[in-house]
Amino acid sequence: MRPNLSSPFEVFSPASDLIATLILGSGALMLLSVCFAAFALGSHVWSRYQTRVWKRQKEDWDAQIVTVLAGDLRPQTLTDTVPKKYYGSFLEALMPYATVVDGAEKQIIQALAAPFLPRVKANLSSRRSLVRARAVQRLGLLGGPEQAAALRQMLDDSSPRVVERTVHSLARVGGAADAERLLDCLPRLAHVDPRHLSSSLVHLGEAAAPTMRAAMADDERPPFVRICCAETLRELRDTASVAAAAWLLEDAKFRDMLQFPKVTASLLRLLKHLGKGVHGPLIRAYCHAPASFVRLHAARALGQLGTPEDEVLLGALVYGDESRWVALGAARSLIEIGSITPLRKLRTLDHPRAALASDLLLSFDQ
Amino acid sequence: MSELKEPILLALSHKPSANLLEDRLCRKGATVVRAPDGEQALQHIRDTSFGVVVAETGLPGRTGLELLQSVPPLQPPFVLMGRRGNDEDVIRAFDMNAFDYFTRPFAPNIVTTRILRVPRLLSTATERPVPALA
């Protein structure tokens, strides 16, 4: 007997409905997954395509920048071909060359960047600190002294990242007149390596040395600022600062040595590079300082300024100093002053530092 | 035109520096081989005879100083590129018989001239007759 069906749908029981719903749901989910997969694949292909296009564009710009720097192409001929919306990418391609060249070529780089710098300058007022920091960096690397006024205003920025970039940039495009202004900002950057800052401050040139000397000797300045100044003066090879450093070390022997060991270490580094044999007795006193890194810098300075009579003192540090770094520094200095005997003897002994002496003598003998 | 018979190896990881120097050296008639890291540079030095090796002190893989140490003095002659203010590297380089040293940033024309004079000076030195003793 056939069932009486008023509608073909009546053949489905509630269980069949559930199965149909599940099938439809699975189908929809599968379709969604396929859509997502297609989207992911499309994005990947698009991203690879964009990367390839950008790489080709960058290589093209690289070649043209080199041609412009060689004088075979006018800067304007290249800048006219750069689409306005890609100015940021062009400046990114230009920036590595700005760190490489000097003199006349540096001016060519500035000419290549000049048409785009007003747009960069507009980014100085962005709400995002990253955008401001990047703008500051671009102005410092690609701009000239005419950008200094805009950069000076950025020294008061609320973001330490922007201030740090501004110090680097203003030191490049500014002049000695900006030295005091830059030193005033340094306490905000105490988290930065002083040598990193001094490598930029050195761009201020010899004319900034008197300001640096005064700041280095100033007890009222934070130790971080004094360290930055000592490192900058060392990089500037400012021989006039040697007398100030020696005077400070003489005066600080008992007072500051415990308070500002990092300043002391910087002054010793300055003496090591620019001092003379007459500073030997002063340096020797610091070989017994409580801070190990002060002893290390004193021992290393003796490598340059010491005499064969320092063999006993340096040998004692190699054999007996509690810090392995001090021992290593003293051993290197022994080699530099030409006193190898204590190291040769140490190598043959059953001593914890015998391996250190052996390693150093190995490279010396080669 | 340069009278360079042997190629010049540019062992520089910093691409813009390598681009600039390669361009200038090629314009002067030199043949340039590039190596972006120390391992490749060492392989090139073992395989080929170079007139000069220009190496970066901070080269990845093997530094310029390590490369210099791994070859006999002036075979080939080395010109090193370092960063400004690193006196100790300069002293070490010359102690290890580097022929020349320059820092970044540099004036490309001057550095090119300094690189190209190396084989010229060396060949002059070897060709010069030993003066007779009185």
Side-chain angles (χ1 to χ4, degrees):
Chain A
M1 195 176 152
R2 292 179 63 195
N4 182 18
L5 298 173
S6 56
S7 157
F9 296 104
E10 285 178 21
V11 76
F12 299 114
S13 64
S16 307
D17 283 351
L18 184 63
I19 290 168
T21 311
L22 282 173
I23 290 169
L24 281 174
S26 309
L29 281 175
M30 200 181 288
L31 190 68
L32 201 64
S33 311
V34 170
C35 286
F36 276 131
F39 178 74
L41 191 69
S43 300
H44 178 67
V45 170
W46 177 246
S47 156
R48 285 190 65 174
Y49 170 74
Q50 290 281 55
T51 309
R52 221 171 29 241
V53 168
W54 163 236
K55 198 179 164 194
R56 207 179 309 135
Q57 177 67 78
K58 195 178 172 303
E59 281 169 1
D60 187 36
W61 279 337
D62 269 343
Q64 291 194 64
I65 290 166
V66 170
T67 312
V68 171
L69 287 171
D72 288 352
L73 189 70
R74 285 173 55 240
Q76 202 191 336
T77 313
L78 172 56
T79 52
D80 284 349
T81 64
V82 178
K84 283 202 169 81
K85 63 177 178 177
Y86 292 138
Y87 84 95
S89 305
F90 178 69
L91 293 182
E92 285 298 317
L94 203 53
M95 274 168 56
Y97 288 91
T99 63
V100 171
V101 294
D102 213 357
E105 277 87 357
K106 178 85 181 166
Q107 286 172 355
I108 296 175
I109 293 287
Q110 288 174 0
L112 282 169
F116 310 105
L117 290 187
R119 284 161 173 262
V120 176
K121 229 170 178 172
N123 285 338
L124 290 178
S125 51
S126 167
R127 279 189 301 176
R128 291 165 59 201
S129 64
L130 264 174
V131 175
R132 296 198 303 276
R134 191 187 294 168
V136 160
Q137 187 187 19
R138 284 175 174 175
L139 287 177
L141 270 174
L142 303 170
E146 69 281 0
Q147 307 298 341
L151 288 171
R152 279 179 202 120
Q153 291 175 355
M154 300 306 287
L155 287 172
D156 299 323
D157 196 276
S158 56
S159 159
R161 187 205 307 263
V162 177
V163 175
E164 185 194 341
R165 294 273 173 92
T166 308
V167 168
H168 290 298
S169 294
L170 188 55
R172 277 175 179 272
V173 302
D178 290 306
E180 193 60 56
R181 194 177 281 116
L182 291 172
L183 293 183
D184 286 343
C185 283
L186 293 184
R188 283 184 70 187
L189 306 177
H191 57 283
V192 183
D193 184 343
R195 284 199 238 174
H196 183 48
L197 290 168
S198 69
S199 68
S200 286
L201 292 173
V202 78
H203 290 291
L204 292 171
E206 289 174 13
T211 311
M212 297 281 170
R213 262 179 255 143
M216 181 180 78
D218 188 355
D219 280 347
E220 302 293 315
R221 296 265 189 183
F224 182 75
V225 177
R226 299 175 74 187
I227 293 168
C228 288
C229 290
E231 297 294 336
T232 308
L233 289 165
R234 180 180 58 78
E235 284 198 46
L236 282 170
R237 299 177 202 281
D238 178 55
T239 48
S241 61
V242 172
W247 178 82
L248 279 168
L249 287 169
E250 287 274 7
D251 183 55
K253 203 178 281 181
F254 300 107
R255 183 164 55 87
D256 278 359
M257 199 158 71
L258 292 171
Q259 282 180 23
F260 306 125
K262 288 185 179 171
V263 179
T264 310
S266 289
L267 296 175
L268 286 166
R269 274 168 59 82
L270 180 67
L271 280 193
K272 178 195 164 195
H273 287 90
L274 305 172
K276 292 180 179 172
V278 70
H279 299 117
L282 178 61
I283 294 166
R284 279 177 208 116
Y286 282 92
C287 285
H288 306 291
S292 62
F293 54 88
V294 172
R295 295 199 302 278
L296 168 64
H297 286 289
R300 291 301 289 127
L302 281 183
Q304 296 297 312
L305 307 174
T307 62
E309 281 94 73
D310 289 310
E311 183 182 298
V312 178
L313 175 58
L314 290 170
L317 292 174
V318 176
Y319 277 73
D321 196 281
E322 62 184 28
S323 161
R324 188 181 154 78
W325 293 110
V326 176
L328 183 63
R332 285 194 171 134
S333 293
L334 274 174
I335 292 175
E336 284 167 1
I337 62 169
S339 299
I340 315 294
T341 316
L343 294 178
R344 289 204 193 284
K345 191 178 167 193
L346 178 59
R347 183 166 60 174
T348 60
L349 298 176
D350 180 20
H351 191 281
R353 300 264 161 85
L356 181 150
S358 183
D359 288 348
L360 271 181
L361 286 173
L362 192 68
S363 57
F364 175 74
D365 291 336
Q366 280 175 349
Chain B
M1 286 286 281
S2 161
E3 292 172 3
L4 270 177
K5 290 174 190 147
E6 292 174 318
I8 294 172
L9 176 64
L10 290 183
L12 306 171
S13 66
H14 192 254
K15 215 173 158 190
S17 305
N19 288 348
L20 270 177
L21 289 178
E22 182 181 14
D23 177 70
R24 297 296 162 102
L25 290 166
C26 288
R27 282 165 190 270
K28 297 276 183 185
T31 310
V32 173
V33 176
R34 280 170 68 160
D37 62 62
E39 294 302 334
Q40 284 188 46
L42 190 63
Q43 197 58 48
H44 281 303
I45 292 169
R46 282 177 182 153
D47 294 345
T48 316
S49 173
F50 289 103
V52 193
V53 174
V54 182
E56 197 178 326
T57 52
L59 196 65
R62 270 171 198 261
T63 66
L65 289 169
E66 284 169 346
L67 281 176
L68 176 59
Q69 201 169 22
S70 62
V71 298
L74 301 178
Q75 292 175 0
F78 266 67
V79 174
L80 289 168
M81 181 181 93
R83 65 177 179 82
R84 193 172 276 180
N86 203 346
D87 294 359
E88 283 170 12
D89 266 3
V90 183
I91 293 166
R92 276 186 66 202
F94 285 120
D95 277 348
M96 290 159 69
N97 298 315
F99 199 95
D100 203 353
Y101 192 105
F102 67 95
T103 56
R104 224 173 62 201
F106 54 82
N109 282 341
I110 295 172
V111 168
T112 308
T113 310
R114 280 166 67 172
I115 293 170
L116 290 174
R117 90 192 166 122
V118 176
R120 202 173 57 235
L121 280 177
L122 285 175
S123 69
T124 310
T126 49
E127 282 165 14
R128 184 181 293 168
V130 180
L133 289 172

